[in-house]
Amino acid sequence: MSFINDLQKVLKQNIREYGMFIALFVIWAVFAVLTDGIFISSRNISNLLNQTGYIAVLGIGMTLIIVIRHIDLSVGFLAGFLGAVAAIAMAFWGWPVYLVIPVVLLIGLLLGFIPGFLVAQMGIPAFVATLAGFLVYRGAILVVTEETGTIIIANDVFNAIGNGFIPDIPVNFMPEVHKLTLLLGIIAIVLFVVGELNGRRTKQAYNFEVLPMNIFILKLAFTALLIGGMTWVLAGYNGLSWTVVVVLLVMGIYYFVSTKTVLGRHIYAVGGNPEAAELSGVNVKKITYVVFGQMGMLAALSGMLFASRLQSATTTAGTLFELDAIAAAFVGGVSAAGGVGKVTGALIGALVMASLTSGMNLMGIGISYQYMVRGAVLAAAVIFDVATRSRR
Amino acid sequence: MNDTPLLEMKNITKEFPGVKALDNVSFRVAAGEIHCLVGENGAGKSTLMKILSGVYPHGEYSGDILFGGELQSFGGIRDSENTGIGIIYQELALIPEMTVYENIFIGHEIKNGMMVDWNETIRQASEMLKKVKLNVNPAVKVKELGVGKQQLVEIAKALSKDVRLLILDEPTSALNEDDVANLFDLLRDLKVQGVTCVMITHKLKEIMEIADSVTVLRDGRTICTLNARNGEVSENVLIKHMVGREIDNIYPKREHKRSEEITFEVKDWCAYDPARERDILKNANFYVKKGEIVGFSGLMGSGRTELALSIFGNPERYHLQGEMFVYGEKMQFHHPEEAINAGVAYVSEDRKRNGLILIQDVKQNVTLANLREIAQRGVVDDNAEIKIANEYKDSLNIKTPTIEQKVLNLSGGNQQKVSLAKWLFVKPNILILDEPTRGIDVGAKYEIYTIMNRLVEQGMSIIMISSELPEILGMSDRVYIVSAGEITGELPIEEATQEKIMHLATKN
Ligand SMILES: Nc1ncnc2c1ncn2[C@@H]1O[C@H](COP(=O)(O)OP(=O)(O)OP(=O)(O)O)[C@@H](O)[C@H]1O
Ligand SMILES: [Mg+2]
């Protein structure tokens, strides 16, 4: 009985953290039933993850933007625009792909500094500054695609980012599963369990509060099952896609920077209380630049992931990406009041948003209703944020 | 005094995760008295009052509340207000951009049908203001008033709701002596009119002055209730009950050593505040020597905080003129970061707004201003951080279950200690303390003074801004007096007296 009590208590205390997992689980279960299991087939899950990629990277960047109490509405069309730039560079100027990618990322970074400047230096509200960017980039996409319309990308390396899978280990063993994916999955589980155990031991050594043992084991088992299940499903299809590799890489870097580095601490301090951070020697302007800059860079990455996935740059690329990114961040537990929110949450949030799109597409629901549902989910995520905040 | 008390709280127990804030506390207040509630930081005073006012509703604590002889179970602040209990919190809850009359009637507007009846509101507001003897136009915005007057507006607001019991949580911590005297006159008046009063304070002198009875809390338990009218209460008795031991001299002794090395100097310092469109500092000249504590005395709002901020590096807030020397080298800080790098630290007077990141935990706050010291190539060493934070928790005696507790959940005085710890960890050469002991209990004050003494012994220079004259006189080697943005005098401690300082402080 005490186990149930403990579980209730833990869930209640960490509802912000676990809420998104519950949301994801419910959505998957509902779609699995409504689509007679097609939704959770290997093929669909693999597709779903690839569709999540370009929203996930935006969501990760958006999390940091919202953590420092701002917003960026321009990222959708910025992504679309930079995807088009990448396509033009390859298709018309014949630039090699290994040059295009870093150059476009750099352009994204520099363009990100513009709202950074407007917000930090001029004191313009981010909402207004980035709304202006939204319009400007919308126009910019139309300008660069005016003559050609959709630009087809013929570069195989570039297109593999959005459509390709990692190679398998060339051995004649279990031919129907992707062995490298399976191996990576197992390594991930082991690393996760060892990391959690170590973390728990350190915490106990310092007498910090830790989860009760049985619930800790439950959490480990649940997560291991999740990673394991996911790996198994993917290994049964084509294996890990390059998109997922890119997202996990970005995720890893952002997780490290936001939790382990001085820069990360400063970002969260600015979000928690800008005046106090400033007086503690944190350069709030610099942080604002950095955070908007990285957002621009991730918009570039998102734009390229999307272009690569479609193997082309279209005139409407990037439409409403910013909405999904903001929703992903909020579903992922970021707080509109600033200073709270993990980048890892944005990944789950992005999965929620992509799952909605994918599931509704499978069910043949029209785009008009899809918009309404996505809007409702965004509202629900923010209501959840406010409700769980005032409970404390 | 009659026999059934106005208020009786019986066997109140309240737990937070990891902390038992109140443990079987009993508290009785007779009708028509002024009852002081005292105790160390984190003893549970604010928590007890929050239970009484319904902030923590019935069900979140155990025990009984009897008010006017009836058992009460408040579901929220509304309920307690309707029963006749008004509370004024440690931090004022007025809306600065609104007028005085709007603030007084916010939440219980006077209506005429669907519309707010502004004329009636203003009329009644003026009446309330008369009651609290505040002579201001009810149509001015609250932000135009000083803290003392704002406090009176808060009381007017409480009175407008027909309170029988008025609770004041550390009302005097931000008031100057005149305002305190004013406030106390008002409380005595209210007493005559039948309003009972519970006041939390850390200033023992005030208790001696105004209390009819005193209840002492320690570690979440009631230690005793004393009658303050029959001579059984003295400062020493209170200290002993609060701290559990005797402290004979609140200001620990230190030799006034005279080093000749000037560590910090400011010449012809002028500051203009474009936001308020006026000069806030005029031709300030002062210096600090190595191992010296220099007190800055003056009335609230005399410009001492602005002086500190203008030094510490807020290039955008003020237009500055004049020269500044750190260890003889001419410098100008463009950002607090540069000041910190030059070895200057500033402990803000407003810990909630300028000092702490409330939603972060104790350790993150302690290390924030000096993360570089515990980081290698930009990566923070978690173990080093825990070690440092624990060291400061122990040396400053910060009361918290663990250093992973959010600062939000600490008591006011313990928050102040965290703020201080943050700046001590910067290991500055020149430490500017702005009201360093505001809201801190006697025991902790003594600890902080001891630490200050140790720091100057090690060669640090301390600039201490304080509105408490005894503190200025007890701790400083030299005193500057500031009045309306000007330094009106400098006194070595041997010559400084309360009268001389007050005279200089009111010169402008
Ligand atoms: N919301 C909360 N969550 C967890 N602990 C809390 C919370 N509020 C108060 N506490 C703890 O309860 C204890 C009592 O706090 P309280 O604020 O009542 O102290 P206090 O007597 O008012 O102190 P001070 O003089 O410093 O204002 C402290 O140890 C504090 O850390
Ligand atoms: Mg308190």
Side-chain angles (χ1 to χ4, degrees):
Chain A
M1 229 33 230
S2 87
F3 174 68
I4 304 286
N5 282 344
D6 281 354
L7 190 64
Q8 269 181 348
K9 209 172 114 192
V10 169
L11 279 181
K12 226 171 158 181
Q13 273 173 19
N14 299 300
I15 186 72
R16 285 190 80 97
E17 216 166 305
Y18 299 151
M20 55 185 150
F21 286 101
I22 297 169
L24 186 64
F25 182 78
V26 169
I27 289 170
W28 282 24
V30 168
F31 279 133
V33 172
L34 290 179
T35 63
D36 295 325
I38 301 176
F39 183 80
I40 48 169
S41 65
S42 286
R43 192 188 143 80
N44 193 57
I45 293 291
S46 180
N47 256 324
L48 173 64
L49 292 184
N50 282 357
Q51 280 163 22
T52 306
Y54 51 87
I55 296 301
V57 289
L58 284 182
I60 288 168
M62 191 65 78
T63 299
L64 294 188
I65 296 266
I66 298 174
V67 160
I68 64 164
R69 306 178 175 198
H70 293 304
I71 194 79
D72 194 337
L73 300 176
S74 68
V75 292
F77 288 129
L78 177 59
F81 171 64
L82 291 174
V85 170
I88 290 169
M90 282 180 295
F92 301 154
W93 307 339
W95 285 22
V97 63
Y98 298 105
L99 182 63
V100 169
I101 293 175
V103 166
V104 172
L105 288 177
L106 185 69
I107 298 175
L109 179 71
L110 296 176
L111 290 180
F113 287 147
I114 297 175
F117 171 81
L118 292 174
V119 172
Q121 225 76 33
M122 313 287 290
I124 295 173
F127 182 85
V128 179
T130 60
L131 188 61
F134 173 98
L135 294 170
V136 170
Y137 295 131
R138 178 80 192 99
I141 298 176
L142 295 178
V143 168
V144 296
T145 57
E146 199 167 32
E147 281 163 27
T148 51
T150 299
I151 304 164
I152 305 294
I153 301 170
N155 188 310
D156 288 341
V157 176
F158 187 81
N159 288 340
I161 306 172
N163 301 288
F165 297 85
I166 61 171
D168 198 2
I169 313 165
V171 287
N172 229 344
F173 169 67
M174 299 208 298
E176 71 284 3
V177 290
H178 197 276
K179 291 161 289 287
L180 183 58
T181 302
L182 215 51
L183 188 67
L184 288 175
I186 293 168
I187 293 176
I189 293 177
V190 171
L191 284 181
F192 174 77
V193 171
V194 171
E196 284 285 302
L197 281 173
N198 274 338
R200 186 182 169 87
R201 212 168 306 134
T202 329
K203 286 205 158 200
Q204 275 172 331
Y206 289 114
N207 280 326
F208 293 162
E209 206 182 345
V210 291
L211 292 177
M213 195 60 188
N214 44 15
I215 289 176
F216 177 69
I217 290 172
L218 188 73
K219 182 183 162 194
L220 282 190
F222 185 77
T223 318
L225 208 69
L226 204 74
I227 303 175
M230 206 69 144
T231 312
W232 184 251
V233 169
L234 290 180
Y237 188 59
N238 283 331
L240 214 54
S241 66
W242 284 114
T243 302
V244 173
V245 172
V246 169
V247 171
L248 289 179
L249 216 63
V250 171
M251 182 73 242
I253 294 170
Y254 270 72
Y255 177 74
F256 179 77
V257 171
S258 66
T259 59
K260 303 284 177 203
T261 66
V262 173
L263 176 64
R265 286 300 191 74
H266 283 181
I267 291 172
Y268 281 81
V270 169
N273 184 348
E275 286 90 17
E278 177 91 2
L279 280 177
S280 301
V282 177
N283 196 326
V284 175
K285 277 187 188 165
K286 197 175 96 191
I287 296 295
T288 310
Y289 273 108
V290 168
V291 172
F292 275 98
Q294 63 80 31
M295 183 75 253
M297 193 170 72
L298 288 186
L301 181 61
S302 166
M304 288 191 287
L305 281 173
F306 188 68
S308 155
R309 178 143 185 82
L310 298 186
Q311 312 195 354
S312 62
T314 65
T315 53
T316 55
T319 310
L320 287 190
F321 282 15
E322 69 285 336
L323 174 114
D324 279 341
I326 292 167
F330 277 116
V331 173
V334 79
S335 163
V340 176
K342 293 182 182 160
V343 289
T344 37
L347 189 59
I348 307 298
L351 261 178
V352 166
M353 294 316 282
S355 300
L356 286 174
T357 311
S358 160
M360 288 190 291
N361 278 338
L362 280 181
M363 290 173 58
I365 293 176
I367 190 77
S368 40
Y369 291 104
Q370 294 201 12
Y371 282 148
M372 293 184 200
V373 170
R374 278 149 78 192
V377 169
L378 173 59
V382 181
I383 291 168
F384 181 77
D385 162 45
V386 175
T388 54
R389 194 169 355 126
S390 57
R391 255 173 42 87
R392 234 273 41 98
Chain B
M1 282 183 225
N2 53 21
D3 285 319
T4 39
L6 176 68
L7 169 74
E8 181 158 21
M9 298 178 82
K10 281 201 267 192
N11 308 329
I12 305 282
T13 298
K14 167 80 187 163
E15 283 185 62
F16 296 108
V19 203
K20 202 169 205 177
L22 295 173
D23 185 3
N24 228 346
V25 165
S26 295
F27 182 54
R28 289 165 62 115
V29 179
E33 69 170 348
I34 296 178
H35 196 122
C36 282
L37 185 59
V38 300
E40 287 180 291
N41 298 126
K45 306 179 293 292
S46 298
T47 305
L48 187 66
M49 291 304 108
K50 281 181 188 164
I51 285 176
L52 178 55
S53 61
V55 172
Y56 301 126
H58 184 73
E60 285 193 12
Y61 61 90
S62 68
D64 292 329
I65 301 176
L66 290 155
F67 187 71
E70 279 168 50
L71 194 62
Q72 307 284 349
S73 46
F74 301 133
I77 305 172
R78 279 272 151 138
D79 292 348
S80 72
E81 275 177 8
N82 291 338
T83 319
I85 298 173
I87 182 162
I88 293 170
Y89 294 103
Q90 215 158 336
E91 19 325 284
L92 297 180
L94 297 172
I95 301 170
E97 287 295 336
M98 285 191 168
T99 62
V100 169
Y101 67 82
E102 281 172 311
N103 264 291
I104 291 180
F105 285 98
I106 198 163
H108 59 131
E109 291 80 4
I110 301 169
K111 294 201 190 116
N112 185 354
M114 293 262 294
M115 316 267 281
V116 175
D117 185 342
W118 288 120
N119 292 329
E120 180 62 15
T121 303
I122 294 173
R123 196 189 62 75
Q124 290 198 19
S126 312
E127 216 161 83
M128 291 300 154
L129 291 178
K130 224 172 277 160
K131 244 186 184 169
V132 299
K133 298 209 179 74
L134 180 58
N135 189 14
V136 299
N137 180 347
V140 301
K141 286 189 178 167
V142 160
K143 67 171 181 186
E144 317 269 321
L145 304 178
V147 216
K149 290 185 175 161
Q150 290 191 15
Q151 196 106 44
L152 295 178
V153 174
E154 280 267 15
I155 295 177
K157 183 173 157 186
L159 292 181
S160 74
K161 297 175 199 166
D162 283 330
V163 287
R164 281 197 284 159
L165 177 70
L166 183 65
I167 304 165
L168 300 135
D169 195 350
E170 298 192 37
T172 59
S173 63
L175 297 190
N176 65 37
E177 308 222 334
D178 284 349
D179 286 337
V180 172
N182 239 336
L183 177 70
F184 285 2
D185 282 344
L186 174 64
L187 294 186
R188 286 190 197 101
D189 264 13
L190 289 176
K191 183 162 104 175
V192 175
Q193 292 165 33
V195 179
T196 311
C197 196
V198 172
M199 183 173 101
I200 298 177
T201 182
H202 286 293
K203 299 185 181 170
L204 304 181
K205 239 178 53 198
E206 294 175 354
I207 298 170
M208 307 307 300
E209 193 180 327
I210 193 154
D212 295 314
S213 15
V214 189
T215 293
V216 182
L217 290 187
R218 184 163 84 221
D219 293 332
R221 269 175 252 231
T222 319
I223 298 300
C224 57
T225 296
L226 305 170
N227 184 337
R229 286 283 160 258
N230 64 6
E232 66 176 300
V233 173
S234 70
E235 290 195 23
N236 282 337
V237 168
L238 284 174
I239 291 175
K240 197 162 154 252
H241 284 304
M242 280 168 65
V243 193
R245 68 193 149 89
E246 293 191 44
I247 297 177
D248 14 283
N249 189 356
I250 324 181
Y251 303 104
K253 283 233 157 39
R254 164 173 46 95
E255 252 180 75
H256 296 293
K257 273 191 299 203
R258 289 286 136 99
S259 154
E260 282 318 306
E261 187 184 354
I262 292 181
T263 54
F264 185 79
E265 183 163 20
V266 156
K267 285 183 179 160
D268 302 323
W269 197 252
C270 302
Y272 172 80
D273 185 355
R276 280 180 288 172
E277 294 181 353
R278 61 186 174 89
D279 289 317
I280 44 174
L281 291 169
K282 280 162 262 168
N283 275 320
N285 285 287
F286 71 90
Y287 63 88
V288 193
K289 286 180 175 169
K290 191 173 170 181
E292 193 181 36
I293 297 180
V294 172
F296 273 74
S297 187
L299 302 178
M300 293 276 163
S302 57
R304 295 162 304 165
T305 295
E306 283 83 354
L307 177 63
L309 279 177
S310 70
I311 290 168
F312 193 64
N314 264 288
E316 271 151 36
R317 202 176 304 193
Y318 307 126
H319 299 318
L320 298 175
Q321 261 175 40
E323 294 178 314
M324 179 168 81
F325 300 87
V326 181
Y327 284 94
E329 193 184 328
K330 191 171 163 189
M331 285 197 176
Q332 179 154 23
F333 305 139
H334 301 95
H335 190 274
E337 194 181 1
E338 292 176 28
I340 294 168
N341 289 339
V344 181
Y346 169 65
V347 183
S348 155
E349 65 174 333
D350 188 343
R351 57 181 171 250
K352 291 229 159 119
R353 224 180 54 187
N354 296 329
L356 297 166
I357 318 274
L358 291 172
I359 57 169
Q360 293 191 350
D361 64 24
V362 173
K363 73 176 151 50
Q364 286 169 323
N365 272 283
V366 169
T367 55
L368 177 62
N370 195 14
L371 275 173
R372 229 163 286 146
E373 169 143 346
I374 51 162
Q376 267 161 5
R377 279 189 235 97
V379 181
V380 178
D381 178 347
D382 292 338
N383 283 314
E385 177 172 47
I386 292 168
K387 232 180 91 210
I388 298 284
N390 269 325
E391 269 171 38
Y392 282 100
K393 174 183 175 242
D394 293 340
S395 73
L396 293 185
N397 205 357
I398 299 172
K399 222 180 254 172
T400 171
T402 75
I403 51 170
E404 291 213 314
Q405 178 77 290
K406 281 186 186 163
V407 170
L408 188 71
N409 293 336
L410 299 191
S411 76
N414 284 301
Q415 289 178 349
Q416 177 71 10
K417 290 187 192 173
V418 173
S419 174
L420 191 63
K422 170 169 86 176
W423 289 107
L424 292 183
F425 178 49
V426 169
K427 297 176 194 141
N429 298 318
I430 295 131
L431 178 64
I432 307 172
L433 298 169
D434 199 348
E435 306 288 359
T437 61
R438 174 175 293 176
I440 284 196
D441 69 57
V442 248
K445 261 186 191 172
Y446 181 82
E447 287 161 21
I448 286 175
Y449 296 144
T450 315
I451 291 166
M452 284 168 67
N453 281 349
R454 200 176 67 216
L455 293 173
V456 287
E457 222 124 87
Q458 291 162 5
M460 197 186 280
S461 308
I462 294 182
I463 294 172
M464 181 182 71
I465 298 170
S466 172
S467 302
E468 281 186 57
L469 278 178
E471 179 169 274
I472 290 276
L473 294 172
M475 290 304 294
S476 314
D477 293 307
R478 207 148 48 78
V479 186
Y480 287 103
I481 297 97
V482 184
S483 171
E486 252 179 277
I487 294 186
T488 48
E490 176 192 349
L491 297 168
I493 195 65
E494 296 80 10
E495 295 171 23
T497 61
Q498 297 227 7
E499 293 72 33
K500 277 191 199 167
I501 291 179
M502 280 321 288
H503 175 71
L504 288 165
T506 48
K507 205 164 165 184
N508 287 349

